[in-house]
Amino acid sequence: MALIVQKYGGTSVGSIERIKKVAERVQKTVNQGNQVVVVVSAMGKTTDGLVNLAKELSDNPCRREMDMLLSTGEQVSIALLSIALQALGQDAVSLTGAQVGIVTEAEHSRARILEIKIERMQRHLAEGKVVVVAGFQGISQSEELEITTLGRGGSDTSAVALAAALKADLCEIYTDVPGILTTDPRIVPEAQLIREITCDEMLELASLGAKVLHPRAVEIARNYGVSMVVRSSWSEDPGTKVISPSPQFQSLEGLELTRSVDAVEFDANQVQIALLQVPDRPGIAARLFSAIAEQCLDVDLIIQSLHEGNSNDIAFTVTREMSNKAEAIAEAIAPALRSDPQRREEAEVVVAKEIAKVTITGAGMIGRSGVAAKMCQTLADAGINIKLISTSEVKISCVIAAAELNRAIAALCNAFEVHSSPVRSWTSEAQKVPAVRGVALDLKQARLAIRHVPDRPGMAAAIFNLLAQHKISVYTIIQSQHSRYKEAKHTRDVVFTIAEEEVETACTALANLLEELDCPPILVDKEIAKISIVGAGMIGQAGVAAKFFAALAQEKINIEMIATSEIKISCVVPKQDAEKALQVAHTAFNLAGQSTITVPT
Ligand code: ASP
Ligand code: MG
């Protein structure tokens, strides 16, 4: 007999008819010999409706009262589902978060789960009942027993947390789409279902999959080894299997990590190669990385930032063993890469051998301001200069001097309270999985570039601290190789993306600092799109970046910025090319399927 946690989202319980269907599916699962705990969301758009009611009374309703209000949505659906099950002759009992004992922080509207009491659920299961639990809500630890909610979309988190606490055999997330798709089918009709995806890939695809599966839920699944599938409530199709590492016997206390970073990783076996002043036109990155891929060299980090006029700087890292070859290729290609055909100048190759990469990772950094600032500040306080920065959804990597690696690791573990020993970055164990699982598009970001930032410890920290103070979350950050413009002074460019609507706040926040540092005005570009390919199989595989860049180049799409993590490559492109870019990337990696998947709007 297996113990299964099933979660049904708002649309799946959106009407009485649908609740009946869900009850039938639950009963069927029981009849197959399983114990079932069901987690449900509020019916349809109930939560939005409740939010709107409050807004009619106040622009800024108190968060405690909002939790009191919003938690009622789920209370309706648990009762109805329980009644529906009983009407089918299936014993069932509904429980609120408080009745279960889903203990959270006292942070209203965004509480994290600290602990889940399982005794009552186990008792009811032993009595042969289906336990129907309200998603999205909990109860604070304090004496007052305050009702809390986990944040919008939080029922997924409730379900996976219950599965972890109960050591369930499986957690099934039922939704109104067939599973996780390779890309957005509204833009790319050939999008198809991903059969299997790892938690890490899922996290990097947050912007693609977040509506289907909440990132916090994925993080719990990963940390506790919960087996999970995402599938459609309307069909028997198997959906997408979300693969977690084998179960880890972690303490269930402090179940959801309240900290934003859960690991510090490093790689000391890297060499950094930069090409300065390559032309800013389609096809340049493709040419460079194709030449490198032809020699079967696998690149790790790639960073391209914009530069003055019409040139870019591109920096990348390769393993030490490959560095001589990679350098030779870069030197060979440099003369052909003239940014200005009138002038004699050719791209300049700069190699840094004594470097190391240190990375912080954690799903908790998604949408949170201040994590990058804290990393930069921690390194600055330790007197460590940051040479390159590259970020993804769930990782921030900094290239620093090799001699400072140990100090950097110690300082970061301390600052982020990471007590497990730091891990060496990924090896190529994942080789059998496809290089690219999915392609995501972000349209709501703007790119800001700060040029000529002095090359000394604390500069990135100063910038990101200011943004964090204004509660601005930064999505992608790159800090590039230094420019050679102001010959006397070494400077670097810091480029990042933030939500479009925060541009003005960000510029005001940074104005004084830029003046102090004598930097030229911030370059703002709102007409951008970020397109990302994600796949664990790209580790240790040569040519993935080259293929991506070449696909864009073929359509004459200019790459304005590149940032990478081990399993993700993001390019910023002009907004007008966004859809085309998504399509060609999807096709280039053979992700297109035969059948058309329609998703509800
Ligand atoms: N009902 C809540 C919301 O709409 C939680 C959820 O559905 O996951 O955000
Ligand atoms: Mg949802």
Coordinates of all heavy atoms in Angstrom, one line a residue, residues 467-536:
L467 N 20.3 48.7 -4.4 CA 19.1 48.2 -5.0 C 18.3 47.4 -4.0 O 17.1 47.5 -3.9 CB 19.5 47.3 -6.2 CG 20.2 48.0 -7.4 CD1 20.6 47.0 -8.4 CD2 19.2 49.0 -8.0
A468 N 19.0 46.6 -3.2 CA 18.3 45.8 -2.2 C 17.6 46.7 -1.2 O 16.5 46.4 -0.7 CB 19.3 44.9 -1.4
Q469 N 18.3 47.8 -0.8 CA 17.6 48.8 0.1 C 16.3 49.3 -0.4 O 15.4 49.6 0.3 CB 18.5 50.0 0.4 CG 19.5 49.7 1.5 CD 20.7 50.7 1.4 OE1 20.5 51.8 0.9 NE2 21.8 50.3 1.9
H470 N 16.2 49.3 -1.7 CA 15.0 49.8 -2.4 C 14.1 48.6 -2.8 O 13.2 48.7 -3.6 CB 15.3 50.7 -3.6 CG 15.8 52.0 -3.2 ND1 17.1 52.2 -2.8 CD2 15.2 53.2 -3.0 CE1 17.3 53.5 -2.5 NE2 16.1 54.1 -2.6
K471 N 14.4 47.4 -2.2 CA 13.6 46.2 -2.4 C 13.5 45.8 -3.9 O 12.5 45.3 -4.3 CB 12.2 46.4 -1.8 CG 12.1 46.6 -0.4 CD 11.7 45.3 0.4 CE 11.7 45.5 1.9 NZ 13.0 45.8 2.5
I472 N 14.5 46.1 -4.7 CA 14.5 45.8 -6.1 C 15.2 44.4 -6.2 O 16.3 44.2 -5.8 CB 15.2 46.8 -6.9 CG1 14.5 48.2 -6.8 CG2 15.3 46.4 -8.4 CD1 15.2 49.3 -7.4
S473 N 14.5 43.4 -6.8 CA 15.2 42.2 -7.1 C 15.8 42.2 -8.4 O 15.2 42.7 -9.4 CB 14.3 40.9 -6.9 OG 13.0 41.2 -6.7
V474 N 17.0 41.7 -8.4 CA 17.8 41.7 -9.7 C 17.7 40.3 -10.2 O 17.9 39.3 -9.5 CB 19.3 42.1 -9.3 CG1 20.1 42.2 -10.6 CG2 19.3 43.3 -8.5
Y475 N 17.4 40.2 -11.5 CA 17.3 38.8 -12.1 C 18.6 38.3 -12.6 O 19.0 37.2 -12.2 CB 16.3 38.9 -13.3 CG 14.9 39.2 -12.7 CD1 14.4 40.5 -12.8 CD2 14.1 38.2 -12.1 CE1 13.1 40.7 -12.3 CE2 12.9 38.4 -11.6 CZ 12.4 39.7 -11.7 OH 11.1 40.0 -11.2
T476 N 19.2 38.9 -13.6 CA 20.5 38.4 -14.1 C 21.5 39.5 -13.9 O 21.3 40.7 -14.1 CB 20.3 38.2 -15.6 OG1 19.2 37.3 -15.8 CG2 21.5 37.6 -16.2
I477 N 22.7 39.1 -13.5 CA 23.8 40.1 -13.3 C 25.0 39.5 -14.0 O 25.3 38.4 -14.0 CB 24.2 40.1 -11.8 CG1 23.0 40.5 -10.9 CG2 25.3 41.1 -11.6 CD1 23.4 40.4 -9.4
I478 N 25.7 40.4 -14.7 CA 27.0 40.0 -15.1 C 28.0 41.2 -14.9 O 27.6 42.4 -14.9 CB 27.1 39.7 -16.7 CG1 26.7 40.9 -17.5 CG2 26.3 38.5 -17.0 CD1 26.9 40.6 -19.0
Q479 N 29.1 40.8 -14.5 CA 30.2 41.8 -14.4 C 31.3 41.3 -15.3 O 31.7 40.1 -15.2 CB 30.7 41.9 -13.0 CG 31.9 42.9 -12.9 CD 32.5 42.9 -11.5 OE1 32.0 43.4 -10.6 NE2 33.6 42.2 -11.4
S480 N 31.7 42.1 -16.1 CA 32.6 41.6 -17.2 C 34.1 41.9 -16.9 O 34.4 42.6 -15.9 CB 32.2 42.3 -18.5 OG 32.5 43.7 -18.4
Q481 N 34.9 41.4 -17.8 CA 36.3 41.7 -17.9 C 36.5 43.2 -17.9 O 35.7 43.9 -18.4 CB 36.7 41.1 -19.2 CG 38.2 41.2 -19.5 CD 39.0 40.5 -18.6 OE1 38.6 39.5 -18.1 NE2 40.2 41.0 -18.3
H482 N 37.7 43.7 -17.5 CA 37.8 45.1 -17.6 C 38.0 45.7 -19.0 O 38.6 45.1 -19.9 CB 38.8 45.8 -16.7 CG 40.0 45.1 -16.3 ND1 41.3 45.5 -16.6 CD2 40.2 43.9 -15.6 CE1 42.1 44.7 -16.1 NE2 41.5 43.7 -15.5
S483 N 37.5 46.9 -19.1 CA 37.6 47.5 -20.4 C 39.0 48.2 -20.4 O 39.6 48.5 -19.4 CB 36.5 48.6 -20.5 OG 36.7 49.6 -19.6
R484 N 39.5 48.5 -21.6 CA 40.8 49.1 -21.6 C 40.7 50.6 -22.0 O 41.6 51.2 -22.4 CB 41.7 48.4 -22.5 CG 41.2 48.4 -23.9 CD 42.1 47.7 -24.9 NE 41.5 47.7 -26.2 CZ 42.0 47.1 -27.2 NH1 43.1 46.4 -27.1 NH2 41.4 47.2 -28.4
Y485 N 39.5 51.1 -21.9 CA 39.3 52.5 -22.3 C 40.0 53.5 -21.5 O 40.9 54.2 -21.9 CB 37.8 52.8 -22.4 CG 37.3 52.6 -23.8 CD1 36.8 51.4 -24.2 CD2 37.4 53.7 -24.7 CE1 36.4 51.2 -25.5 CE2 37.0 53.5 -26.0 CZ 36.5 52.2 -26.4 OH 36.1 52.0 -27.7
K486 N 39.7 53.5 -20.2 CA 40.4 54.5 -19.3 C 41.7 53.9 -18.9 O 41.8 53.2 -17.9 CB 39.5 54.8 -18.1 CG 38.3 55.6 -18.4 CD 37.7 56.1 -17.1 CE 36.6 57.0 -17.4 NZ 35.9 57.5 -16.2
E487 N 42.6 54.0 -19.8 CA 43.9 53.2 -19.7 C 44.5 53.2 -18.3 O 44.9 52.2 -17.8 CB 44.9 53.7 -20.7 CG 44.3 54.2 -22.0 CD 44.4 53.1 -23.1 OE1 45.5 52.6 -23.2 OE2 43.4 52.8 -23.7
A488 N 44.5 54.4 -17.7 CA 45.2 54.6 -16.5 C 44.5 53.8 -15.3 O 45.1 53.3 -14.4 CB 45.3 56.0 -16.1
K489 N 43.2 53.7 -15.4 CA 42.4 53.1 -14.4 C 41.8 51.8 -14.8 O 41.2 51.8 -15.9 CB 41.2 54.1 -14.0 CG 41.5 55.0 -12.9 CD 40.2 55.4 -12.2 CE 39.6 56.6 -12.9 NZ 38.3 57.0 -12.4
H490 N 41.9 50.8 -14.0 CA 41.2 49.6 -14.4 C 39.7 49.7 -14.0 O 39.4 50.1 -12.9 CB 41.8 48.4 -13.6 CG 42.9 47.8 -14.4 ND1 43.7 46.8 -13.9 CD2 43.4 48.0 -15.6 CE1 44.6 46.5 -14.7 NE2 44.4 47.2 -15.8
T491 N 38.8 49.4 -14.9 CA 37.4 49.5 -14.6 C 36.7 48.3 -15.1 O 37.2 47.6 -16.0 CB 36.7 50.7 -15.2 OG1 36.8 50.6 -16.6 CG2 37.4 52.0 -14.7
R492 N 35.5 48.0 -14.6 CA 34.7 46.9 -15.1 C 33.3 47.4 -15.4 O 32.9 48.5 -14.8 CB 34.6 45.8 -14.1 CG 35.9 45.1 -13.9 CD 35.8 44.0 -12.9 NE 37.1 43.5 -12.5 CZ 37.8 42.6 -13.1 NH1 37.2 42.0 -14.2 NH2 38.9 42.2 -12.7
D493 N 32.5 46.7 -16.2 CA 31.2 47.1 -16.4 C 30.3 46.1 -15.6 O 30.5 44.9 -15.6 CB 30.8 47.0 -17.9 CG 31.7 47.9 -18.7 OD1 32.2 48.9 -18.2 OD2 31.8 47.6 -19.9
V494 N 29.2 46.7 -15.0 CA 28.3 45.8 -14.3 C 26.9 46.0 -15.0 O 26.4 47.1 -15.1 CB 28.2 46.3 -12.8 CG1 27.1 45.4 -12.1 CG2 29.5 46.1 -12.1
V495 N 26.4 44.9 -15.4 CA 25.2 44.9 -16.2 C 24.2 44.0 -15.5 O 24.5 42.9 -15.1 CB 25.4 44.5 -17.7 CG1 24.2 44.7 -18.5 CG2 26.6 45.3 -18.3
F496 N 22.9 44.4 -15.4 CA 21.9 43.5 -14.8 C 20.6 43.8 -15.3 O 20.3 44.8 -16.0 CB 22.0 43.7 -13.3 CG 21.9 45.2 -12.8 CD1 20.6 45.7 -12.5 CD2 23.0 46.0 -12.7 CE1 20.5 47.0 -12.2 CE2 22.9 47.3 -12.3 CZ 21.6 47.9 -12.0
T497 N 19.7 42.9 -15.0 CA 18.3 43.1 -15.4 C 17.4 43.2 -14.2 O 17.6 42.5 -13.2 CB 17.7 42.0 -16.4 OG1 17.7 40.8 -15.7 CG2 18.6 41.8 -17.6
I498 N 16.4 44.0 -14.3 CA 15.4 44.1 -13.2 C 14.0 44.2 -13.8 O 13.9 44.4 -15.0 CB 15.7 45.4 -12.3 CG1 15.6 46.6 -13.1 CG2 17.0 45.3 -11.6 CD1 15.7 47.9 -12.3
A499 N 13.0 44.2 -13.0 CA 11.6 44.4 -13.6 C 11.5 45.8 -14.2 O 12.0 46.8 -13.6 CB 10.6 44.2 -12.5
E500 N 10.8 45.8 -15.3 CA 10.7 47.1 -16.1 C 10.2 48.2 -15.2 O 10.7 49.3 -15.3 CB 9.7 46.8 -17.2 CG 10.2 47.1 -18.6 CD 9.1 46.5 -19.6 OE1 8.0 46.2 -19.2 OE2 9.5 46.4 -20.7
E501 N 9.2 47.9 -14.4 CA 8.6 49.0 -13.6 C 9.5 49.6 -12.5 O 9.2 50.6 -11.9 CB 7.2 48.7 -13.1 CG 7.0 47.5 -12.3 CD 7.0 46.1 -13.0 OE1 7.2 46.1 -14.2 OE2 6.8 45.1 -12.3
E502 N 10.7 48.9 -12.3 CA 11.5 49.4 -11.2 C 12.7 50.2 -11.7 O 13.5 50.6 -10.9 CB 12.0 48.2 -10.4 CG 10.8 47.6 -9.7 CD 11.2 46.5 -8.7 OE1 12.1 45.7 -9.0 OE2 10.5 46.4 -7.7
V503 N 12.7 50.5 -13.0 CA 13.9 51.2 -13.6 C 14.1 52.6 -13.0 O 15.2 52.9 -12.6 CB 13.7 51.3 -15.2 CG1 14.7 52.2 -15.7 CG2 13.9 49.9 -15.8
E504 N 13.0 53.3 -12.9 CA 13.2 54.7 -12.4 C 13.7 54.7 -10.9 O 14.7 55.4 -10.6 CB 11.9 55.5 -12.4 CG 11.7 56.2 -13.7 CD 11.5 55.3 -14.9 OE1 10.6 54.5 -14.9 OE2 12.3 55.4 -15.9
T505 N 13.1 53.8 -10.1 CA 13.6 53.7 -8.7 C 15.1 53.3 -8.7 O 15.8 53.9 -7.9 CB 12.8 52.6 -8.0 OG1 11.4 52.6 -8.4 CG2 12.9 52.7 -6.5
A506 N 15.4 52.4 -9.5 CA 16.8 51.9 -9.5 C 17.8 53.1 -9.9 O 18.8 53.3 -9.3 CB 17.0 50.8 -10.5
C507 N 17.4 53.8 -11.0 CA 18.3 54.9 -11.4 C 18.5 56.0 -10.3 O 19.6 56.4 -10.1 CB 17.8 55.5 -12.7 SG 17.9 54.4 -14.1
T508 N 17.4 56.3 -9.7 CA 17.4 57.3 -8.6 C 18.3 56.7 -7.5 O 19.2 57.5 -6.9 CB 16.0 57.6 -8.0 OG1 15.1 57.6 -9.1 CG2 16.0 58.9 -7.3
A509 N 18.1 55.5 -7.1 CA 18.8 54.9 -6.0 C 20.3 54.9 -6.3 O 21.1 55.1 -5.3 CB 18.3 53.5 -5.8
L510 N 20.7 54.8 -7.5 CA 22.1 54.6 -7.8 C 22.8 56.0 -8.2 O 24.1 56.0 -8.3 CB 22.3 53.7 -9.0 CG 21.9 52.2 -8.7 CD1 21.9 51.4 -10.0 CD2 22.9 51.6 -7.8
A511 N 22.0 57.0 -8.4 CA 22.6 58.3 -8.9 C 23.8 58.8 -8.1 O 24.8 59.1 -8.8 CB 21.5 59.3 -9.0
N512 N 23.7 58.9 -6.8 CA 24.8 59.5 -6.0 C 26.0 58.6 -6.1 O 27.1 59.2 -6.3 CB 24.4 59.6 -4.6 CG 23.4 60.8 -4.4 OD1 23.4 61.7 -5.2 ND2 22.7 60.7 -3.3
L513 N 25.9 57.3 -6.0 CA 27.0 56.5 -6.1 C 27.8 56.6 -7.4 O 29.0 56.7 -7.4 CB 26.6 55.0 -5.9 CG 27.7 54.0 -6.0 CD1 28.6 54.0 -4.8 CD2 27.1 52.6 -6.2
L514 N 27.0 56.7 -8.5 CA 27.7 56.8 -9.8 C 28.4 58.1 -9.9 O 29.5 58.1 -10.5 CB 26.6 56.6 -10.9 CG 25.9 55.3 -10.9 CD1 25.2 55.1 -12.3 CD2 26.9 54.1 -10.7
E515 N 27.9 59.1 -9.3 CA 28.6 60.4 -9.4 C 29.9 60.3 -8.6 O 30.9 60.7 -9.1 CB 27.7 61.4 -8.8 CG 28.0 62.8 -9.3 CD 26.9 63.8 -8.8 OE1 25.8 63.5 -9.1 OE2 27.3 64.8 -8.2
E516 N 29.8 59.7 -7.4 CA 31.0 59.5 -6.6 C 32.1 58.7 -7.3 O 33.3 59.0 -7.2 CB 30.7 58.7 -5.3 CG 30.5 59.5 -4.1 CD 29.8 58.5 -3.0 OE1 30.4 57.5 -2.8 OE2 28.7 58.9 -2.6
L517 N 31.6 57.7 -8.0 CA 32.6 56.8 -8.7 C 33.0 57.4 -10.1 O 33.8 56.8 -10.8 CB 32.0 55.4 -8.9 CG 31.6 54.7 -7.7 CD1 31.0 53.3 -8.0 CD2 32.8 54.4 -6.8
D518 N 32.4 58.5 -10.4 CA 32.7 59.1 -11.7 C 32.4 58.2 -12.9 O 33.1 58.1 -13.9 CB 34.3 59.4 -11.7 CG 34.6 60.4 -12.8 OD1 33.7 61.1 -13.3 OD2 35.8 60.5 -13.2
C519 N 31.3 57.5 -12.8 CA 30.8 56.6 -13.9 C 29.9 57.4 -14.8 O 29.2 58.3 -14.4 CB 30.0 55.4 -13.4 SG 30.9 54.4 -12.3
P520 N 30.0 57.1 -16.1 CA 29.0 57.7 -17.0 C 27.6 57.3 -16.7 O 27.4 56.4 -16.0 CB 29.4 57.2 -18.4 CG 30.2 56.0 -18.1 CD 30.8 56.1 -16.8
P521 N 26.6 58.1 -17.2 CA 25.2 57.7 -16.9 C 24.9 56.3 -17.2 O 25.4 55.7 -18.1 CB 24.4 58.7 -17.8 CG 25.3 59.7 -18.3 CD 26.7 59.2 -18.2
I522 N 23.9 55.8 -16.4 CA 23.5 54.4 -16.6 C 22.8 54.2 -18.0 O 22.0 55.1 -18.4 CB 22.4 54.0 -15.6 CG1 22.9 54.2 -14.2 CG2 21.9 52.5 -15.7 CD1 21.9 53.7 -13.1
L523 N 23.2 53.2 -18.7 CA 22.5 52.9 -19.9 C 21.3 52.0 -19.6 O 21.4 51.0 -19.0 CB 23.4 52.1 -20.9 CG 24.5 52.8 -21.5 CD1 25.2 51.9 -22.5 CD2 24.0 54.1 -22.2
V524 N 20.1 52.4 -20.0 CA 18.9 51.7 -19.7 C 18.3 51.2 -21.1 O 18.2 51.9 -22.0 CB 17.8 52.6 -19.1 CG1 16.5 51.8 -18.9 CG2 18.3 53.1 -17.7
D525 N 17.9 49.9 -21.1 CA 17.3 49.4 -22.3 C 16.0 48.6 -21.9 O 16.2 47.6 -21.2 CB 18.2 48.5 -23.1 CG 17.6 48.2 -24.5 OD1 16.4 48.5 -24.7 OD2 18.4 47.7 -25.3
K526 N 14.9 49.2 -22.2 CA 13.6 48.4 -21.8 C 13.2 47.5 -22.9 O 12.3 46.7 -22.7 CB 12.5 49.4 -21.5 CG 12.8 50.2 -20.2 CD 11.6 51.0 -19.9 CE 11.8 51.8 -18.6 NZ 10.7 52.7 -18.2
E527 N 13.7 47.7 -24.1 CA 13.3 46.9 -25.3 C 14.1 45.7 -25.4 O 14.6 45.4 -26.4 CB 13.4 47.8 -26.5 CG 12.4 49.0 -26.6 CD 11.0 48.6 -26.3 OE1 10.5 47.7 -27.0 OE2 10.4 49.2 -25.4
I528 N 14.1 44.9 -24.3 CA 14.9 43.7 -24.4 C 14.0 42.5 -24.0 O 12.9 42.6 -23.5 CB 16.1 43.7 -23.4 CG1 15.6 43.9 -21.9 CG2 17.1 44.7 -23.8 CD1 16.3 43.1 -20.9
A529 N 14.5 41.3 -24.4 CA 13.9 40.0 -24.0 C 15.0 39.1 -23.5 O 16.1 39.2 -24.1 CB 13.1 39.4 -25.1
K530 N 14.7 38.3 -22.6 CA 15.8 37.3 -22.1 C 15.3 36.0 -22.5 O 14.2 35.6 -22.2 CB 16.0 37.4 -20.6 CG 17.2 36.7 -20.1 CD 17.4 36.9 -18.7 CE 16.6 36.0 -17.8 NZ 16.7 36.3 -16.4
I531 N 16.2 35.3 -23.2 CA 15.8 33.9 -23.6 C 16.8 32.9 -23.1 O 18.0 33.2 -23.2 CB 15.5 33.8 -25.2 CG1 15.9 32.5 -25.7 CG2 16.2 34.9 -25.9 CD1 15.1 32.3 -27.0
S532 N 16.3 31.9 -22.5 CA 17.2 31.0 -21.8 C 17.0 29.5 -22.2 O 15.9 29.1 -22.3 CB 17.0 31.0 -20.3 OG 17.0 32.4 -19.8
I533 N 18.1 28.8 -22.4 CA 18.0 27.4 -22.6 C 18.5 26.7 -21.3 O 19.4 27.1 -20.6 CB 18.8 26.9 -23.8 CG1 20.3 27.2 -23.6 CG2 18.3 27.4 -25.1 CD1 21.2 26.6 -24.7
V534 N 17.8 25.6 -20.9 CA 18.1 25.0 -19.6 C 18.2 23.5 -19.8 O 17.4 22.9 -20.5 CB 17.0 25.2 -18.6 CG1 17.3 24.4 -17.3 CG2 17.0 26.7 -18.2
G535 N 19.3 22.8 -19.3 CA 19.4 21.4 -19.4 C 20.6 20.9 -18.6 O 21.7 21.4 -18.8
A536 N 20.4 19.9 -17.8 CA 21.5 19.3 -17.0 C 22.5 18.7 -17.9 O 23.7 18.5 -17.6 CB 21.0 18.4 -15.9

